[in-house]
């Protein structure tokens, strides 16, 4: 959808639908009070009829409202006035956008609540409104022969701010939000594709397309022979059971000088995970196409970086493979040697994500990173611990962990830090190798991070376990998380986030 910013008086703007907020208890708020006397009188008369109370997400469509140029007015409940926040506004707008998109409205205008006074509130309200709208408008039908799309989809939204100073903040937020939404859409599209289409080679080709014609973004993909020369025995052991060759996708965005140390993002790219010899139960195994959501989110984040031309260096690394049962596949008890030279006893072939990540994390050293963040649908234990709302966070650096916590809170993509110390590390002890790839039944999310931590001792590192937040079961699909959190982190490092 196209987004515009204007300071035009809301009642003077020609649009098919003007969206106005109403607070719980039918309180008009400053949005309505800024309108002409005739319009305000008419709207207050409607509110007295009690068809809309103002609870968050309630809507009421009105026609032929006097004193305005808009063809329709959609009143949207914003909840209690004292609880108004960018997050609650976004929640309310979800319902409004869905209603308009399902109807005959092609363009709309939304008067941002004047109750948002300072720049940070205006920025967040604008950004979150756009992200909410894009989430509601997202549709994945690439694999359907018959497309069931709205006849008259919503395709333009104008956000009205009350001042010129506010308008500049709105424009900035719109730019950031559209780039983040574009990155999320790419991540969702890649993740929602089935494993027979989105193979490691396909994923690599999609990443390469982003670099075509972009001088600041260089994309390459290492093949298995190149990885073998580098000694990536852990990563390559996972792909042995698949006919699809593994790829190591490397995306180098250069927005600053060559001497500026980059932030490196590493994303798990298992395009399908059957568990290998330690095969998964058949129920819901189709959802294991989502085991590449970490890699998809890294690719989506690099897309957004390039679109915004961030003044920093960012590297994305996506180790990509399939994990299938085969005569050549890893067997429980096998021992492999990682790129770091550490040997790993594979006690469970379904703990393969850490095997491909550990070699990618070692590869990240060559970029002399300022920080490394890996993103992975790594453990079912994280879903047990945090459910589907919050991403798991573990780190070897407190400052980096705090940056991610703040970033997640700021953009409604939260994470929660879990402990990681030597008591958990001992669960990975092996009698036959330097370490085992699992640490027993307890603390599975933590021991998985402890495993990765053994390959990250040369730099500041954080691990995001998105097993509970990367997709929604059933027909809802991928969420595009944690692209928002990663972009908020990078924008804050560039001092561009409000």
């Amino acid at each position: 959808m196209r987004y515009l910013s204007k300071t035009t008086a809301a009642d003077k703007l020609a649009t098919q639908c003007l969206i106005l907020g109403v607070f719980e208890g039918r309180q008009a708020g400053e949005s309505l009070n800024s309108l002409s006397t005739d319009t305000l009188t008419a709207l207050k008369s409607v509110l007295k009829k009690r068809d809309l109370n103002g609870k968050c997400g309630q809507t009421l469509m009105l026609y032929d409202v006097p004193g305005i140029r808009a063809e329709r007015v959609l009143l949207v409940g914003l909840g209690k006035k004292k609880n108004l926040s960018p997050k609650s506004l976004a929640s309310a707008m979800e319902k409004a956008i869905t209603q308009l998109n399902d109807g005959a409205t092609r363009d709309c205008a939304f008067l941002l609540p004047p109750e948002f006074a300072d720049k940070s509130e205006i920025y967040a309200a604008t950004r979150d409104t756009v992200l909410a709208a894009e989430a509601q408008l997202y549709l994945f039908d690439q694999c359907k022969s018959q497309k069931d799309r709205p006849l008259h989809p919503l395709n333009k939204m104008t956000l009205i701010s009350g001042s010129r100073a506010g308008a500049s903040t709105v424009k900035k937020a719109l730019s950031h939000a559209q780039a983040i939404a574009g990155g999320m859409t790419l991540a969702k599209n890649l993740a929602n594709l089935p494993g027979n289409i989105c193979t490691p080679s396909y994923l690599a080709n999609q990443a390469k397309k982003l670099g075509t014609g972009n001088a600041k973004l260089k994309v390459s993909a290492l093949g298995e022979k190149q990885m073998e020369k580098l000694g990536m025995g852990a990563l390559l052991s996972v792909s042995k059971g698949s006919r699809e060759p593994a790829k190591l996708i490397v995306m180098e965005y250069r927005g600053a000088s060559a001497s500026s140390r980059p932030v490196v993002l590493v994303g798990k790219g298992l395009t399908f995970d059957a568990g290998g010899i330690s095969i998964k139960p058949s129920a819901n195994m189709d959802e294991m196409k989502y085991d590449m959501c970490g890699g998809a989110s890294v690719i989506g984040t690099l897309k957004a970086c390039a679109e915004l031309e961030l003044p920093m260096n960012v590297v994305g690394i996506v180790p990509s493979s399939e994990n299938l049962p085969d005569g050549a596949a890893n067997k429980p008890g096998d021992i492999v040697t990682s790129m770091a030279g550490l040997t790993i006893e594979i006690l469970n072939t379904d703990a393969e994500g850490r095997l491909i990540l550990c070699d990618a994390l070692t590869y990240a050293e060559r970029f002399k990173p300022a920080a490394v963040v890996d993103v992975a649908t790594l453990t079912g234990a994280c879903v047990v611990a945090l459910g589907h709302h919050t991403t798991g966070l573990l780190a070897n650096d407190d400052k980096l962990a705090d940056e991610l916590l703040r970033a997640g809170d700021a953009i409604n993509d939260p994470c929660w830090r879990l402990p990681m110390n030597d008591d958990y590390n001992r669960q990975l002890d092996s009698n036959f190798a330097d370490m085992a790839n699992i640490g027993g039944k307890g603390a599975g999310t933590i021991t998985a991070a402890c495993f990765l931590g053994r390959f990250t001792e040369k730099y500041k590192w954080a691990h995001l376990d998105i097993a509970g937040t990367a997709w929604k079961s059933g027909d809802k699909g991928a969420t595009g998380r944690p692209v928002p959190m990663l972009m908020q982190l990078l924008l804050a490092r560039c001092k561009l986030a409000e």
Side-chain angles (χ1 to χ4, degrees):
M1 184 160 67
R2 289 193 303 129
Y3 296 90
L4 304 173
S5 170
K6 290 192 176 181
T7 55
T8 308
D11 44 17
K12 299 292 191 294
L13 185 66
T15 179
Q16 286 186 309
C17 184
L18 175 63
I19 305 172
L20 299 170
V22 176
F23 293 106
E24 193 168 325
R26 299 176 297 284
Q27 293 185 56
E30 294 303 317
S31 293
L32 270 62
N33 290 334
S34 67
L35 302 172
S36 68
T37 302
D38 289 346
T39 305
L40 180 60
T41 300
L43 293 177
K44 284 186 174 181
S45 176
V46 169
L47 291 176
K48 287 180 181 179
K49 294 181 172 61
R50 299 178 180 270
D51 289 312
L52 180 136
N53 179 61
K55 289 184 178 180
C56 189
Q58 283 186 329
T59 62
L60 179 63
M61 184 70 80
L62 306 175
Y63 299 87
D64 301 321
V65 176
I68 64 170
R69 297 185 66 190
E71 296 175 16
R72 308 168 181 81
V73 170
L74 181 64
L75 298 181
V76 179
L78 300 181
K80 294 181 179 178
K81 188 173 183 179
K82 66 178 182 180
N83 295 335
L84 179 66
S85 68
K87 183 177 180 180
S88 68
L89 177 66
S91 179
M93 288 300 293
E94 288 178 356
K95 304 294 179 65
I97 294 299
T98 299
Q99 181 173 340
L100 293 180
N101 192 52
D102 289 342
T105 307
R106 292 179 181 272
D107 76 88
C108 67
F110 175 48
L111 177 56
L112 286 165
E115 284 80 7
F116 292 122
D118 62 59
K119 286 185 177 181
S120 62
E121 287 182 326
I122 295 171
Y123 174 88
T126 301
R127 179 201 63 201
D128 293 354
T129 295
V130 172
L131 294 181
E134 290 300 308
Q136 296 307 114
L137 296 175
Y138 176 78
L139 177 66
F140 183 84
D141 59 4
Q142 284 87 322
C143 298
K144 292 185 176 182
S145 59
Q146 300 295 322
K147 314 294 186 185
D148 184 18
R149 298 184 177 183
L151 292 176
H152 306 287
L154 185 64
N155 57 34
K156 186 178 81 169
M157 174 184 272
T158 301
L159 283 91
I160 307 170
S161 58
S163 66
R164 294 193 180 279
S168 64
T169 300
V170 169
K171 287 181 180 179
K172 177 182 176 181
L174 286 179
S175 173
H176 292 178
Q178 289 177 92
I180 294 169
M184 293 178 72
T185 295
L186 176 59
K188 288 191 280 190
N189 284 342
L190 292 172
N192 286 330
L193 285 169
N196 63 318
I197 294 176
C198 188
T199 62
S201 295
Y202 180 92
L203 200 61
N205 289 334
Q206 295 305 301
K208 287 178 180 178
K209 284 183 179 180
L210 296 178
T212 303
N214 191 323
K216 292 185 177 181
L217 183 60
K218 174 187 174 184
V219 183
S220 59
L222 278 64
E224 291 191 342
K225 289 184 178 179
Q226 292 167 292
M227 287 186 274
E228 189 174 355
K229 288 180 180 178
L230 292 169
M232 294 184 168
L235 193 163
L236 291 173
S237 74
V238 176
S239 68
K240 289 190 303 181
S242 170
R243 296 180 184 180
E244 293 289 340
K247 299 289 182 181
L248 185 73
I249 303 164
V250 183
M251 308 177 72
E252 300 176 64
Y253 170 75
R254 300 294 179 186
S257 66
S259 61
S260 179
R261 297 169 66 192
V263 172
V264 177
L265 306 176
V266 179
K268 176 184 172 185
L270 256 292
T271 56
F272 192 81
D273 178 21
I277 298 299
S278 307
I279 196 165
K280 293 177 180 291
S282 60
N284 298 323
M285 195 196 286
D286 60 292
E287 294 187 354
M288 288 302 97
K289 68 180 184 179
Y290 295 121
D291 215 15
M292 43 67 71
C293 282
S297 69
V298 167
I299 294 172
T301 300
L302 267 292
K303 177 185 186 297
C305 287
E307 182 175 329
L308 290 175
E309 297 185 338
L310 291 187
M312 68 184 301
N313 295 331
V314 185
V315 176
I317 302 174
V318 180
S320 186
S321 174
E322 291 181 336
N323 185 30
L324 299 173
D326 180 82
N330 280 333
K331 304 178 295 296
D334 283 359
I335 294 176
V336 299
T337 303
S338 67
M339 183 181 176
L342 297 172
T343 58
I344 304 164
E345 182 183 14
I346 300 172
L347 297 180
N348 187 322
T349 66
D350 194 24
E352 84 300 323
R354 63 203 73 183
L355 296 178
I356 69 171
L357 285 170
C358 71
D359 280 345
L361 289 168
T362 300
Y363 187 83
E365 292 176 13
R366 65 186 53 210
F367 296 102
K368 297 181 172 58
V372 176
V373 180
D374 81 71
V375 189
T377 50
L378 207 60
T379 65
C382 195
V383 183
V384 175
L386 298 175
H388 297 283
H389 307 292
T390 306
T391 291
L393 165 66
L394 300 101
N396 66 8
D397 183 78
D398 291 341
K399 184 178 178 181
L400 179 58
D402 288 343
E403 283 186 87
L404 284 162
L405 288 166
R406 287 195 300 270
D409 287 343
I411 202 165
N412 305 320
D413 188 6
C415 57
W416 187 262
R417 191 175 183 184
L418 298 170
M420 189 177 71
N421 55 50
D422 287 342
D423 291 333
Y424 296 107
N425 246 308
R426 284 192 283 272
Q427 292 180 227
L428 296 169
D429 289 347
S430 167
N431 291 328
F432 308 105
D434 294 329
M435 70 191 83
N437 77 324
I438 57 172
K441 291 183 178 180
T445 299
I446 298 171
T447 56
C450 287
F451 178 96
L452 297 177
R454 299 190 182 194
F455 301 86
T456 63
E457 295 175 353
K458 295 182 180 180
Y459 48 71
K460 296 175 182 178
W461 159 78
H463 163 63
L464 296 173
D465 192 327
I466 59 171
T469 56
W471 81 91
K472 296 179 180 179
S473 292
D475 60 357
K476 295 184 178 180
T479 64
R481 296 175 65 184
V483 172
M485 186 200 308
L486 295 175
M487 281 304 299
Q488 183 70 15
L489 170 73
L490 298 177
L491 287 167
R493 285 203 161 208
C494 294
K495 303 187 185 305
L496 292 174
E498 292 289 335

